Amino acid sequence: MRVVIAEDAVLLRAGVTRLLADEGIETAAAVDNGDDLLGAVKEHRPDLAIVDVRMPPTFTDEGLRAALAARKEIPGLPVLVLSQYVEESYAVELLSGGAGGVGYLLKERVADVAEFLDAVRRVANGGTAIDPDVIAQLMARGRRNPLDALTARESEVLGLMAQGLSNTAIANSLVVSHGAVEKHIGNIFSKLGLEASAEEHRRVRAVLTYLGR
């Protein structure tokens, strides 16, 4: 796997690069601003871009804007965004495209090496990885009506789906069978009116509904 990293903090940029190298993941480029990110993505065509939301010159949303532009330049480019704080509008904007291969993690998660590497691989493979704190804050704004039809267990399963967990991981987390998880997910799709299509696409659409978008 080859990645491009965009992070203005030198120590974090170097730390992530070293962490990935220890796992055999090549960093094709490590930059500190959005413009260089776009250039690196075009040049290296990486398997994943890891991007800080806030970068120079204004330290507002340059990283996110660059990540969105990169996905337009290379449709389907997996992007894992890192943020110091939960910023709802940024999380929603990243997810609103309805496609997989996206992640939004708080920077503190990098300290949990196993969790961070799992998110890296999951997003690179076209899945999602959404920080539990991001989900909790988005959900605090209230749910839309379609979710009222879900049972407590179905809501729990959908919450774990929103974090990007696979069916097997959900089964292990809830201590239930893989078949039970598949049944719950089927019920979720049905109750949310998500007609048959690519499985991963329906999962993303279900997660977006869960997040209130």
Side-chain angles (χ1 to χ4, degrees):
M1 184 194 306
R2 297 167 69 248
V3 306
V4 166
I5 300 171
E7 165 61 59
D8 67 287
V10 176
L11 289 179
L12 182 57
R13 189 168 67 244
V16 170
T17 300
R18 176 61 184 272
L19 179 62
L20 296 176
D22 288 344
E23 294 297 314
I25 300 173
E26 177 189 351
T27 298
V31 301
D32 62 1
N33 64 82
D35 290 341
D36 285 350
L37 168 65
L38 285 175
V41 164
K42 292 177 183 178
E43 177 182 354
H44 298 288
R45 300 277 167 163
D47 300 301
L48 173 71
I50 301 175
V51 185
D52 184 8
V53 167
R54 299 184 174 189
M55 288 195 294
T58 68
F59 294 96
T60 54
D61 62 354
E62 285 87 353
L64 178 72
R65 298 295 168 203
L68 294 173
R71 279 176 71 88
K72 287 183 179 179
E73 181 72 26
I74 305 177
L77 171 70
V79 173
L80 175 59
V81 167
L82 302 179
S83 180
Q84 188 70 40
Y85 310 103
V86 177
E87 298 173 279
E88 296 178 19
S89 61
Y90 296 164
V92 169
E93 186 162 4
L94 181 68
L95 295 166
S96 61
V102 295
Y104 188 106
L105 293 182
L106 295 181
K107 287 186 177 181
E108 63 191 52
R109 303 296 176 192
V110 178
D112 187 327
V113 175
E115 181 178 354
F116 175 67
L117 291 174
D118 178 65
V120 165
R121 294 190 177 95
R122 193 187 310 158
V123 174
N125 288 326
T128 57
I130 311 301
D131 197 291
D133 287 351
V134 174
I135 293 173
Q137 189 155 321
L138 290 174
M139 289 305 298
R141 297 185 304 176
R143 294 178 172 179
R144 290 186 174 183
N145 290 335
L147 295 169
D148 293 339
L150 302 183
T151 66
R153 177 61 86 180
E154 289 164 357
S155 294
E156 193 172 11
V157 168
L158 184 51
L160 294 173
M161 287 169 60
Q163 294 181 38
L165 271 64
S166 66
N167 289 8
T168 299
I170 292 173
N172 292 338
S173 177
L174 299 179
V175 195
V176 298
S177 69
H178 191 275
V181 171
E182 290 184 336
K183 182 178 179 180
H184 288 313
I185 292 176
N187 290 340
I188 290 167
F189 290 158
S190 177
K191 290 179 179 180
L192 296 184
L194 301 177
E195 299 179 359
S197 61
E199 176 74 11
E200 191 62 36
H201 181 57
R202 284 205 293 175
R203 289 177 81 96
V204 172
R205 290 168 60 197
V207 167
L208 291 173
T209 300
Y210 181 82
L211 296 177
R213 292 285 164 179

